[in-house]
């Protein structure tokens, strides 16, 4: 399809601006002035509307398609959340940072504080900062807090331990903070091998990063022991909250022994992900880390009003411009407010039921490397189909033609030909039944006519784009840049 | 009681699903979690219907001061947003989609981001851009890390006239790394790069500047770029995208990495987020760019298509050896930026930039005419400038806030020897009448 730049017609204009009511300023010096207007599309407003409306129709999305991406929690995004965020759109983040400015922003500050309190209760933590702008940003912030804690005690630690099933962001975030990574393999029971973990633990380990339930969708029965071993070495426990959707009201990481958690608001709390963001990654900590939290912090005074305090001298500093991705936070706050205690518990119960239902109905046709009750997601392997030359990616393309966004494939890396399915709680039995039928049809076709997969998908504007060519030619900007 | 229920299955359907799984009830599914590990508390209020929730949030939003007239910036700016931006970005096919991991069913997001990359390259005068980062401050920190990777050096020279919040983020990102961060005290309001040139040596990875700087001053970065390049260092420039409708691009001035915050391009103030950070660079450095990059290719039938490319740099493949830990970016905000730039187009962006500058120059003149008020900037500015008052600026700001005017960002908290000064921001949204009223109110606050 044509690019908006290719639709450009010299002299065409979109939106008009208000006329100036002040005299023109003297021109910039020649050395500062741009040589003519920037080279942007010259199109009418209707050109813009048609172009982006057409583009939007080339996307699968939660509102249009079942989207069972494992580890990503693509649940329904309630429309009321959008309305909630709009209520706060006009407010400037600089106002509460002006002298006595907090009194002019009590509503927005109240929301930041209220969300932090709710997340602390949900996760079992003592304090929360909403500043991090995404899950991985929260991870990095959390590891920085841990580094500050060890630094304050005069302990220079070198390592962060992660299981080999962890999200790639875990080791990447720890590396951004200067740590070396120790990876512990997964045991046959589907989680970090306890004996191998014990063997790598020393006083040089700063933190252990875990997802529980992990990326195989399994709850680690040894989690408390893992926490205890870490604490014996004064290593802190980091909880990757990507899979929090499975345990709302059932388990609180803070109760189990974790010291830090990040929460992906765009996963557990139903805020839309926008084709890749914005997300939001608040970080909760136990008291021992509270003084290191980034600033500015919002606090509630004894009179019920909210103030902004600059961070303490122990703080790690600042991880983002202002108070976080506030618009996303407002949506999560609205979601928590609507669902309440019972609604949140129901989220996890139904999400776990849905995942187990899909697992039960597919395990006779796909290999299930870890055959246990799963939490909110399950991981199959297409190894059986691969023997006929049909790989996980082929099954993904088959599903596209059947109108389903494919599950996550090839993750976690420890499962060969992984197909990771997370239906979430908002999908109905009939949608899942249709998906199950499609998955079974794919398995059947893989037996009968494996060659047919090479032609798929047939129903999309493009099919099997050449990724090697894209990487080799690196055409990342339309001709003329 | 739950106020909203997005779980569709009826009790009968739940029953049938439990049967298929082979358990008696849902609790059985949580058996792998021993009782000792169960939540000690989950003390949240009961739910509310969406109507009650919205009423509650309306009441909360009502506790913010309504209708403040903004002359404050600090990195976020009060700009017009054409209606098409909201309408098109609100299409759920865009906002309820995820990362485009399956290109066939994500061409909408992928092509839009490719177009966004193109728009950013053209605006900044650079060759490659990624599909967005979190915000302007974190983009600056990522650019610094990128410069360290490219040069293999460990010394960074940062202009003290870079947004203090962004410098704080940079320092936070670098705190645990073996990097020497040298901050050069600014000559506020002056176009002067001699102090920066003097600080660059052959151990320097990059010199990091902002244009226009935090005080509003515009500079030609060419000399500084040449000086940096002479010793093998890079020039990292943080820029204000609206200014690029009028000001020479940082690429043409010799910058190697260009970053900034895209809030002003069609994203509401939203109390500081979400917006997006942009980052652009030279083609030879593309493998060192952090975050996602969209590339053009062809499909099996030769049709044009777009894919996530160069993923071998990214955390989901490279884990701890990735160029960055970035996973989510700010796609929807970047899309808003692209729609904004398309709707305004070449002439619209030039006109918007002129409007900003014209209004700011007018404000500079009328505020400068207030007795005792001195404009600090000696050279050209864009839509921000610094004024120094005959008293502590914080006092004037408080007095004006009470009159409904957010007058400016007082500099005392960030530059202790400048407590009488503040940075004033004037966008196209400010009318002549508002600017005149501001000058009168400032005069009243200073002299009554």
């Amino acid at each position: 399809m044509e690019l908006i730049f290719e639709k450009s017609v010299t002299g065409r204009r979109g939106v008009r601006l208000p006329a100036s009511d002040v005299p023109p300023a003297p021109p910039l010096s020649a050395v500062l002035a741009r040589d003519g207007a920037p080279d942007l599309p010259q199109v009418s407003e209707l050109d813009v509307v048609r172009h982006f409306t057409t583009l939007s129709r080339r996307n699968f999305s939660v509102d249009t398609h079942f989207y069972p991406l494992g580890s990503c929690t693509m649940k329904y995004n309630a429309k009321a959340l959008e309305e909630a965020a709009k209520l706060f759109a006009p407010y400037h983040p600089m106002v509460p940072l002006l002298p006595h400015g907090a009194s002019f922003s009590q509503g927005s500050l109240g929301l930041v504080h209220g969300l932090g309190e709710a997340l602390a209760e949900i996760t079992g933590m003592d304090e929360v900062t909403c500043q991090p702008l995404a899950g991985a940003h929260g991870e990095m912030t959390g590891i920085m807090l841990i580094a500050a804690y060890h630094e304050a005690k005069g302990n220079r630690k070198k390592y962060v331990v992660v299981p080999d099933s962890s999200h790639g962001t875990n080791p990447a975030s720890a590396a951004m903070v200067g740590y070396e990574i120790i990876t512990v393999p997964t045991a046959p029971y589907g989680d970090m091998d306890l004996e191998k973990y014990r063997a790598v633990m020393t006083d040089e380990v700063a933190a252990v990063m875990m997802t529980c339930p992990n990326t195989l969708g399994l709850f680690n029965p040894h989690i408390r022991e893992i926490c205890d071993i870490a604490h014996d070495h004064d290593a802190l426990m980091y909880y990757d909250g990507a899979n929090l959707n499975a345990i709302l009201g059932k388990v609180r990481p803070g109760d189990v022994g974790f010291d830090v958690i990040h929460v992906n608001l765009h996963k557990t709390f139903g805020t839309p992900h926008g084709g890749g963001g914005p997300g939001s990654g608040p970080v909760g900590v136990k008291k021992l880390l509270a003084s290191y939290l980034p600033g500015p912090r919002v606090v509630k005074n004894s009179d019920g009003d909210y103030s902004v305090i600059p961070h303490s001298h122990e703080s790690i500093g600042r991880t983002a411009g202002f108070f976080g991705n506030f618009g996303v936070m407002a949506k999560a706050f609205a979601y928590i407010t609507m669902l309440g205690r019972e609604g949140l518990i129901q989220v996890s119960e139904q999400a776990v039921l849905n995942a187990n239902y899909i697992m039960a109905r597919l395990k006779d046709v796909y290999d299930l490397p870890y055959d246990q009750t799963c939490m909110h997601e399950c991981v199959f392997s297409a190894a059986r189909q691969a023997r006929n030359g049909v790989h996980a990616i082929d099954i993904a393309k088959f599903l596209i033609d059947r109108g389903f966004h494919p599950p996550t494939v090839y993750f976690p890396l420890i499962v060969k030909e992984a197909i990771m399915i997370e239906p979430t709680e908002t999908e109905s039995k009939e949608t899942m039944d249709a998906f199950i039928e499609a998955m079974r049809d794919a398995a059947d076709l893989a037996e009968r006519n494996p060659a047919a997969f090479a032609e798929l998908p047939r129903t999309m504007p493009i099919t099997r784009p050449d990724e090697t060519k894209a990487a080799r030619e690196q055409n990342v900007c339309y001709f003329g840049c | 009681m739950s106020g909203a229920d997005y779980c569709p299955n009826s009790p009968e359907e739940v029953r049938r699903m439990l049967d298929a799984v082979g358990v008696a009830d849902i609790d059985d599914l949580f058996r792998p979690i021993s009782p000792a590990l169960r939540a000690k508390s989950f003390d949240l209020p009961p739910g509310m219907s969406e109507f009650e929730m919205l009423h509650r949030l309306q009441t909360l939003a009502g506790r913010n001061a309504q209708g403040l007239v903004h002359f404050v910036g600090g990195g976020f700016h009060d700009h017009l947003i054409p209606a098409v931006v909201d309408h098109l970005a609100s299409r759920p096919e865009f906002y309820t989609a995820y990362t485009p991991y399956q290109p066939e069913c994500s061409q909408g997001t992928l092509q839009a981001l490719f177009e966004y990359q193109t728009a950013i390259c053209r605006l900044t005068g650079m060759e490659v851009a990624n599909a967005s980062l979190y915000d302007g401050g974190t983009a600056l920190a990522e650019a610094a890390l990128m410069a360290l990777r490219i040069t293999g050096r460990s010394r960074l020279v940062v202009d003290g006239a870079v947004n203090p919040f962004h410098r704080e983020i940079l320092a936070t990102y670098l705190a645990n790394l073996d990097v020497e961060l040298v901050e050069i005290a600014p000559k506020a309001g002056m176009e002067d790069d001699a102090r920066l040139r003097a600080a660059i040596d052959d151990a320097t990875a990059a010199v990091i500047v902002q244009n226009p700087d935090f005080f509003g001053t515009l500079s030609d970065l060419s000399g500084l770029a040449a000086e940096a390049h002479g010793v093998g260092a890079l020039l990292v420039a943080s820029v204000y995208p609206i200014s690029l409708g009028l000001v020479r691009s940082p690429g043409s001035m010799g910058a190697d990495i260009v970053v900034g915050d895209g809030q002003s391009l069609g994203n509401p103030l939203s109390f500081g987020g979400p917006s997006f950070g942009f980052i652009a660079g030279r083609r030879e450095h593309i493998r060192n760019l952090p975050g996602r990059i969209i590339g053009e290719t062809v499909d099996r039938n030769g049709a044009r298509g777009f894919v996530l490319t160069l993923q071998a740099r990214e955390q989901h493949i490279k884990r701890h050896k990735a160029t960055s830990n970035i996973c989510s970016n700010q796609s929807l905000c970047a899309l808003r930026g692209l729609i904004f730039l398309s709707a305004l187009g070449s002439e619209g962006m030039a006109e918007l930039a002129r409007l900003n500058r014209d209004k700011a120059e007018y404000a500079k003149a009328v505020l400068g005419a207030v007795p005792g008020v001195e404009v600090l900037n000696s050279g050209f500015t864009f839509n921000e400038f610094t004024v120094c008052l005959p008293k502590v600026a914080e006092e004037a700001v408080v007095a004006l806030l009470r009159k409904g005017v957010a007058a400016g960002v007082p500099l005392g908290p960030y530059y202790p020897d400048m407590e009488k000064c503040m940075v004033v921001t004037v966008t196209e949204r400010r009318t002549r009448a508002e600017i005149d009223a501001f000058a009168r109110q400032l005069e009243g606050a200073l002299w009554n």
Side-chain angles (χ1 to χ4, degrees):
Chain A
M1 183 182 143
E2 264 190 325
L3 301 174
I4 187 85
F5 292 91
E6 291 165 327
K7 293 175 179 166
S8 186
V9 176
T10 304
R12 198 174 277 181
R13 268 292 294 267
V15 169
R16 303 271 162 182
L17 295 166
S20 180
D21 57 359
V22 298
L28 289 172
S29 66
V31 73
L32 289 175
R34 188 165 194 124
D35 185 16
D39 188 9
L40 294 168
Q42 301 187 50
V43 286
S44 71
E45 184 170 322
L46 182 56
D47 291 337
V48 173
V49 170
R50 290 234 172 100
H51 179 76
F52 288 101
T53 302
T54 306
L55 278 187
S56 75
R57 294 168 67 187
R58 296 183 153 218
N59 263 5
F60 278 17
S61 68
V62 174
D63 278 11
T64 52
H65 295 79
F66 181 37
Y67 219 106
L69 275 178
S71 216
C72 295
T73 315
M74 293 298 290
K75 59 170 75 174
Y76 170 63
N77 310 126
K79 301 304 166 194
L81 309 185
E82 303 302 310
E83 300 303 311
K86 277 184 203 154
L87 296 170
F88 293 86
Y91 303 113
H92 199 298
M94 231 10 249
V95 171
L97 301 177
L98 298 175
H100 301 285
S103 60
F104 297 86
S105 300
Q106 285 296 299
S108 298
L109 295 174
L111 193 144
V112 175
H113 190 266
L115 177 63
E117 280 200 320
L119 294 175
E121 177 62 21
I122 288 167
T123 59
M125 293 290 169
D126 296 316
E127 295 268 350
V128 169
T129 172
C130 291
Q131 195 176 70
L133 302 175
H137 199 217
E139 284 176 22
M140 193 184 72
T141 304
I143 297 296
M144 284 174 175
L145 297 169
I146 290 170
Y149 164 86
H150 292 309
E151 179 87 24
K153 293 175 89 178
N155 297 332
R156 290 209 67 89
K157 297 202 176 206
K158 233 174 122 175
Y159 302 106
V160 165
V161 169
V162 299
D164 62 357
S165 66
S166 71
H167 295 119
T169 49
N170 291 178
S173 298
M176 293 269 287
V177 188
Y179 286 108
E180 290 178 39
I181 310 302
I182 298 174
T183 305
V184 180
T186 297
Y189 55 82
D191 218 319
M192 190 162 78
D193 188 306
L194 200 55
E195 289 319 305
K196 291 190 172 133
Y197 165 65
R198 241 186 250 282
V200 301
M201 283 304 290
T202 66
D203 289 348
E204 283 196 297
V205 174
V208 179
M209 300 178 83
M210 299 284 288
T211 308
C212 189
N214 70 2
T215 53
L216 293 163
L218 305 176
F219 191 88
N220 191 329
H222 305 297
I223 194 65
R224 181 157 289 165
E225 213 176 332
I226 288 169
C227 293
D228 289 345
I229 293 166
H231 290 149
D232 286 346
H233 292 281
D234 197 26
L236 299 186
M237 287 301 296
Y238 185 92
Y239 186 96
D240 177 335
N243 293 353
L244 196 64
N245 205 47
I247 57 167
L248 295 168
K250 303 294 180 186
V251 179
R252 300 194 312 168
D255 295 343
V256 173
F258 285 92
D259 304 288
V260 194
I261 180 174
H262 84 263
V263 179
N264 305 70
L265 297 185
H266 51 283
K267 297 185 177 179
T268 309
F269 300 104
T271 69
H273 202 245
S280 172
V283 168
V285 296
K286 291 285 187 62
K287 277 205 175 64
L288 81 170
L289 293 171
S291 60
Y292 307 112
L293 288 170
R297 304 260 302 132
V298 179
V299 294
K300 192 172 187 173
N301 308 328
S302 51
D303 61 2
D305 280 357
Y306 302 96
S307 306
V308 178
I309 51 167
H311 45 68
S312 68
H313 71 280
E314 290 180 303
S315 162
I316 58 166
R318 182 189 286 261
T319 55
F322 295 97
F323 301 94
N325 271 344
F326 184 90
V328 182
M329 290 151 59
K331 293 178 197 184
F333 185 76
Y335 179 87
I336 293 168
T337 303
M338 280 197 294
L339 268 66
R341 181 181 186 279
E342 303 308 321
L344 291 175
I345 292 172
Q346 195 192 6
V347 161
S348 288
E349 292 183 343
Q350 296 296 320
V352 170
L353 174 60
N354 282 2
N356 277 283
Y357 177 67
I358 286 183
M359 187 173 80
R361 300 264 334 259
L362 288 178
K363 68 182 185 183
D364 60 326
V365 289
Y366 290 95
D367 287 351
L368 188 60
Y370 301 93
D371 185 4
Q372 303 164 36
T373 300
C374 67
M375 299 303 288
H376 62 313
E377 58 196 9
C378 55
V379 181
F380 288 101
S381 164
R384 204 186 305 178
Q385 288 73 27
R387 284 197 287 275
N388 291 349
V390 177
H391 297 274
I393 192 70
D394 300 314
I395 292 163
K397 303 308 180 191
F398 177 94
L399 289 169
I400 291 173
D401 274 351
R402 291 285 288 261
F404 298 105
H405 193 286
T408 297
V409 287
Y410 302 115
F411 183 81
L413 305 173
I414 55 167
V415 173
K416 226 166 110 184
E417 296 288 338
I419 298 178
M420 185 187 202
I421 304 171
E422 179 178 0
T424 81
E425 73 282 1
T426 55
E427 292 302 330
S428 67
K429 180 172 176 297
E430 68 232 47
T431 300
M432 289 188 292
D433 285 340
F435 172 76
I436 288 162
E437 193 186 315
M439 284 288 287
R440 297 186 72 90
D441 289 350
D444 185 47
L445 187 64
E447 292 295 324
R448 286 189 295 106
N449 183 13
F453 284 87
E455 303 295 316
L456 309 181
R458 293 169 180 277
T459 57
M460 294 289 113
I462 65 163
T463 177
R464 306 274 183 147
D466 185 346
E467 299 195 9
T468 311
K469 177 183 162 79
R472 203 176 50 236
E473 296 181 3
Q474 298 167 17
N475 184 7
V476 302
C477 174
Y478 178 56
F479 175 77
C481 294
Chain B
M1 195 50 203
S2 175
D5 180 1
Y6 303 116
C7 303
N9 291 316
S10 68
E12 170 56 25
E13 285 170 311
V14 168
R15 181 73 262 152
R16 279 156 52 204
M17 287 162 63
L18 289 167
D19 289 346
V21 174
V23 293
D25 55 37
I26 287 178
D27 276 348
D28 283 346
L29 298 172
F30 289 90
R31 284 269 160 81
I33 307 172
S34 75
L37 298 176
R38 294 302 179 97
K40 288 184 181 148
S41 150
F42 201 63
D43 187 15
L44 296 165
M48 288 181 186
S49 69
E50 67 173 76
F51 311 100
E52 294 161 302
M53 177 280 287
L54 283 170
H55 179 71
R56 183 176 164 203
L57 263 61
Q58 266 156 7
T59 309
L60 195 59
R63 293 194 62 200
N64 287 334
Q66 307 298 310
L68 278 181
V69 181
H70 289 301
F71 293 93
V72 288
F76 265 51
H77 295 81
D78 185 21
H79 285 291
L80 293 169
I81 301 177
V84 282
V85 176
D86 267 342
H87 275 264
L88 294 171
S90 295
R91 288 189 63 87
E93 300 93 327
F94 283 131
Y95 84 82
T96 75
Y98 195 66
T99 304
Y101 289 137
Q102 294 289 341
E104 288 94 341
C105 54
S106 309
Q107 283 299 298
T109 293
L110 286 163
Q111 182 172 331
L113 289 174
F114 180 85
E115 293 175 357
Y116 158 83
Q117 289 171 184
T118 302
I120 292 298
C121 286
R122 293 203 174 171
L123 212 48
T124 56
M126 303 304 286
E127 294 167 329
V128 296
N130 82 357
S132 79
L133 294 170
Y134 305 135
D135 70 359
T138 57
L140 186 75
E142 291 282 356
L145 295 173
M146 184 175 158
L148 295 168
R149 282 195 300 275
I150 290 170
T151 60
R153 298 177 178 180
S154 61
R155 183 172 184 270
L156 293 167
V157 174
V158 183
D159 186 1
V162 169
N163 182 322
F165 300 159
H166 294 187
R167 278 185 286 123
E168 219 178 319
I169 294 168
L170 178 64
T172 305
Y173 267 61
L174 298 174
N176 298 287
L177 306 179
D178 198 12
V179 175
E180 186 195 357
L181 184 60
V182 184
E183 218 167 88
I184 307 300
K187 280 193 186 167
M190 307 275 282
E191 186 182 356
D192 163 45
D193 61 11
R195 67 210 155 78
L196 289 167
R197 289 177 183 229
I200 306 170
D201 60 20
D202 58 12
T204 304
V207 53
I208 302 174
V209 297
Q210 181 177 310
N211 198 33
D213 70 16
F214 192 68
F215 306 100
T217 301
L218 276 168
S219 299
D220 173 23
L221 305 176
S222 312
L224 192 60
E227 189 87 18
H229 296 157
V231 295
L234 304 181
L235 178 70
V236 174
S238 172
V239 295
Y240 178 42
I242 300 284
S243 74
L244 299 178
L246 201 55
V247 178
R248 242 176 88 201
S249 72
S252 71
M253 292 180 183
D256 300 283
I257 306 174
V258 178
V259 295
D261 198 297
Q263 177 268 328
S264 55
L265 305 175
N267 285 278
L269 291 166
S270 187
F271 208 57
S275 67
F276 66 93
F278 57 85
I279 185 164
R282 304 204 174 281
R283 179 163 286 281
E284 69 205 83
H285 299 145
I286 190 167
R287 286 181 191 277
N288 275 297
L289 260 188
R292 294 188 179 125
I293 302 171
I294 313 303
E296 184 179 339
T297 189
V298 294
D299 80 347
R300 195 179 45 202
N301 305 321
R304 175 196 243 175
F306 300 91
V307 295
L308 290 171
T309 194
L310 298 173
Q311 293 186 67
R313 308 160 299 115
E314 290 187 68
Q315 42 70 32
H316 64 280
I317 293 181
K318 257 316 191 14
R319 295 176 75 83
H320 64 279
K321 290 184 178 141
T323 50
S324 159
N325 69 334
I326 297 277
C327 186
S328 283
N329 54 15
Q330 303 279 122
S331 285
L332 193 70
C333 305
L335 172 70
R336 293 181 70 100
L338 171 67
I339 297 169
F340 180 92
L341 290 169
S342 304
L344 263 71
S346 299
E347 285 309 317
M349 269 304 279
E351 191 178 310
L352 178 63
R354 273 199 303 276
L355 268 178
N356 272 262
R357 185 155 177 274
D358 289 351
K359 301 254 183 173
E361 290 302 306
Y362 178 76
K364 206 195 260 182
V366 297
L367 291 181
V370 172
V373 175
E374 185 198 344
V375 175
L376 196 67
N377 308 79
S378 60
F380 288 99
T381 57
F382 178 65
N383 73 346
E384 295 191 302
F385 54 90
T386 301
V387 291
C388 297
L389 311 178
K391 68 199 278 189
V392 173
E394 295 208 348
E395 292 173 22
V397 169
V398 174
L400 265 71
L401 261 182
R402 299 203 170 109
K403 295 185 185 301
V405 176
V409 176
L411 288 174
Y414 315 108
Y415 302 93
D417 57 344
M418 295 186 74
E419 60 169 17
K420 290 186 171 173
C421 304
M422 65 179 181
V423 178
V424 175
T425 301
V426 188
T427 70
E428 78 285 354
R429 287 204 63 188
R430 298 288 71 83
T431 62
R432 182 179 193 144
E434 285 172 340
I435 296 167
D436 290 343
F438 175 26
R440 282 195 303 276
Q441 281 157 338
L442 180 63
E443 185 166 357
L446 294 175
W447 301 111
N448 292 333

